[in-house]
Amino acid sequence: MNWKDILYEWRPKKLDWYIIRRFISTFFVALFLIIIIVIIFDISEKIDDFVTKEAPLKAIILDYYVNFIPYFMNMFSPIFIFITVIFFTSRLAANSEIIAVLSCGISFQRLLRPYMLSAAFISIISLSLNLWVIPHANKVRMAFETEYVHDYNRQVSMRNLHYQINPGEFVYVESFSNWNNTAYRFTLEKIENHEIVSKLSAEQAVWDSTFCGWRLKKYFIREYGAALEDKVRNGQQLDTVINLTIGDFKKTRKYETQLDINELNDYIDMKRMRGDADIKKALIEKNTRYAMPFSAFILTIIGVALSSRKRRGGIGWNLALGIALSFSYILFQKFSEMFVIADTMPAPIAIWLPNVIFTGIAIFLYRMAPK
């Protein structure tokens, strides 16, 4: 069979377009209705903050809610996909449409094809939102919330920091003050061939924005030489520029969610080079962005397998089971993040573990469904 025959075989037929239209339309209608309800509840919760801080109506609509919608859509897309498949497939089964299709000689595997095409369409949208659209939306939305709702840019306390700022260059800071942009007990060490070459210590390192560098106070420099021929010098003040800025100390909550995939990869590389333990959050964020869209295929198969059989009592049982499974998937996915934070599993394994387990469930139900 050549590629033209394969394309012809996979070209959607009337039945495929019928199921795809029902799938996509039901998905977006359900999504639209839920978003309207969520926005109404969100407005009622934040209306006092909007009025108290005099948030402009244009900013509320364009900066907050326009950017809130894609974030919410993507976060709960597994639930919407599962409920959509359960709902309209149960309706097809209740109206004996699936029985009619299978009676015409169409296999269950062939019936599943338009579902998978629809899931692929939704997955591509979700992946694009995850990698590029939502990070920019989060940046604008959180900036609005910082100004008019609550402070997302609140800096966390920074103590006992160890960074590798360049290969062979290590910085240690005992504490950092956000109030005066000052690092206390600052140390910079240079190491070559596993031997220390020089060590710079200072009581304080004050950030100076005029030259984007650090002003060291009461510094002490020791350069190690062969045969104990060390060079030592000290002074009251020294200006220096290194690969460390004030932004490295002013960490904000949910910073990783505001980076597109290219910025996130660079951020992870920088964290890995520095040996920063905070890299776990970035790794969780990156792997979640890829794992979440893949769940559309898994939950679609499970949904079709559960709801393709006609049941007494209508679609209520199918909907209840679908909602329970979709919530358990999301709960398991959030719980798996704790494995990364606790150093129990690497981030790729922990974040993809729910997909692996639910893939096994999907395969089992898929094999049982034709029976």
Side-chain angles (χ1 to χ4, degrees):
M1 181 180 292
N2 56 37
W3 64 271
K4 290 184 179 180
D5 295 332
I6 296 175
L7 289 178
Y8 178 79
E9 175 67 21
W10 278 85
R11 187 178 65 180
K13 309 299 189 296
K14 285 186 177 181
L15 175 63
D16 299 324
W17 285 119
Y18 174 71
I19 294 177
I20 289 172
R21 284 196 301 268
R22 293 288 297 271
F23 192 142
I24 300 298
S25 60
T26 305
F27 174 76
F28 283 106
V29 168
L31 203 59
F32 175 77
L33 294 176
I34 294 297
I35 286 174
I36 294 298
I37 296 173
V38 170
I39 288 177
I40 292 174
F41 278 99
D42 192 73
I43 290 176
S44 64
E45 179 184 352
K46 294 185 173 65
I47 187 66
D48 291 337
D49 295 316
F50 294 160
V51 174
T52 302
K53 298 185 178 181
E54 299 180 352
L57 180 61
K58 181 179 179 181
I60 294 174
I61 296 174
L62 298 181
D63 293 344
Y64 183 65
Y65 283 109
V66 168
N67 293 297
F68 172 82
I69 290 173
Y71 164 76
F72 179 83
M73 285 174 53
N74 197 65
M75 181 171 61
F76 291 101
S77 61
I79 296 179
F80 294 133
I81 291 173
F82 209 9
I83 293 177
T84 296
V85 173
I86 291 286
F87 179 77
F88 89 87
T89 305
S90 297
R91 294 292 300 273
L92 293 178
N95 296 331
S96 300
E97 293 180 69
I98 291 181
I99 295 176
V101 169
L102 297 177
S103 300
C104 294
I106 296 177
S107 65
F108 184 80
Q109 291 80 1
R110 179 62 182 84
L111 177 65
L112 198 61
R113 185 184 298 176
Y115 285 93
M116 301 309 291
L117 291 174
S118 303
F121 174 73
I122 295 174
S123 293
I124 292 172
I125 294 177
S126 177
L127 184 63
S128 301
L129 290 174
N130 270 342
L131 299 185
W132 293 288
V133 178
I134 291 178
H136 173 73
N138 285 341
K139 191 178 299 182
V140 178
R141 177 176 60 86
M142 291 180 182
F144 175 90
E145 291 187 349
T146 297
E147 185 173 358
Y148 298 109
V149 183
H150 49 72
D151 191 2
Y152 263 116
N153 291 326
R154 176 177 56 85
Q155 284 83 34
V156 297
S157 60
M158 309 289 288
R159 298 187 65 86
N160 297 322
L161 301 177
H162 298 262
Y163 284 154
Q164 180 179 214
I165 58 175
N166 284 313
E169 292 187 1
F170 298 85
V171 164
Y172 169 75
V173 173
E174 184 178 282
S175 63
F176 181 82
S177 172
N178 288 303
W179 178 70
N180 56 5
N181 293 336
T182 300
Y184 295 94
R185 299 294 177 87
F186 176 91
T187 301
L188 174 63
E189 295 180 342
K190 294 184 180 180
I191 298 176
E192 295 179 2
N193 298 323
H194 305 288
E195 294 183 357
I196 186 167
V197 175
S198 66
K199 181 175 181 179
L200 185 155
S201 302
E203 289 293 324
Q204 298 178 13
V206 182
W207 175 255
D208 194 324
S209 58
T210 58
F211 66 95
C212 295
W214 297 94
R215 180 156 292 161
L216 307 181
K217 297 182 178 181
K218 295 183 180 180
Y219 70 91
F220 178 92
I221 301 177
R222 182 169 185 171
E223 297 177 351
Y224 296 87
L228 301 179
E229 295 178 357
D230 299 345
K231 296 180 181 179
V232 179
R233 55 192 175 96
N234 61 348
Q236 291 297 314
Q237 184 170 295
L238 176 67
D239 293 342
T240 183
V241 177
I242 57 177
N243 189 24
L244 188 73
T245 66
I246 192 69
D248 294 312
F249 293 101
K250 291 183 175 293
K251 292 185 178 181
T252 59
R253 295 170 58 240
K254 299 186 178 181
Y255 176 73
E256 297 83 3
T257 64
Q258 304 175 41
L259 304 175
D260 64 38
I261 189 59
N262 296 324
E263 294 170 338
L264 184 59
N265 285 331
D266 293 339
Y267 183 70
I268 291 173
D269 291 339
M270 182 267 291
K271 289 281 188 181
R272 185 175 286 115
M273 186 270 294
R274 291 183 172 180
D276 194 341
D278 204 38
I279 192 176
K280 297 173 186 176
K281 296 179 181 178
L283 291 173
I284 290 173
E285 176 67 21
K286 178 180 178 179
N287 285 278
T288 301
R289 293 186 186 186
Y290 287 103
M292 184 71 78
F294 185 77
S295 66
F297 298 100
I298 301 171
L299 298 179
T300 296
I301 295 174
I302 295 176
V304 176
L306 289 176
S307 58
S308 58
R309 182 177 299 176
K310 189 173 182 179
R311 297 178 183 272
R312 293 182 178 179
I315 65 174
W317 169 253
N318 289 338
L319 280 176
L321 186 59
I323 293 174
L325 279 173
S326 58
F327 271 104
S328 66
Y329 171 82
I330 293 179
L331 181 63
F332 191 12
Q333 192 173 53
K334 294 299 180 182
F335 183 74
S336 66
E337 296 179 6
M338 301 304 298
F339 296 139
V340 183
I341 297 174
D343 279 330
T344 305
M345 293 183 183
I349 296 177
I351 300 304
W352 281 88
L353 183 61
N355 282 347
V356 173
I357 293 175
F358 275 77
T359 296
I361 297 174
I363 293 173
F364 173 77
L365 294 175
Y366 170 75
R367 291 180 176 179
M368 296 295 297
K371 300 178 182 180

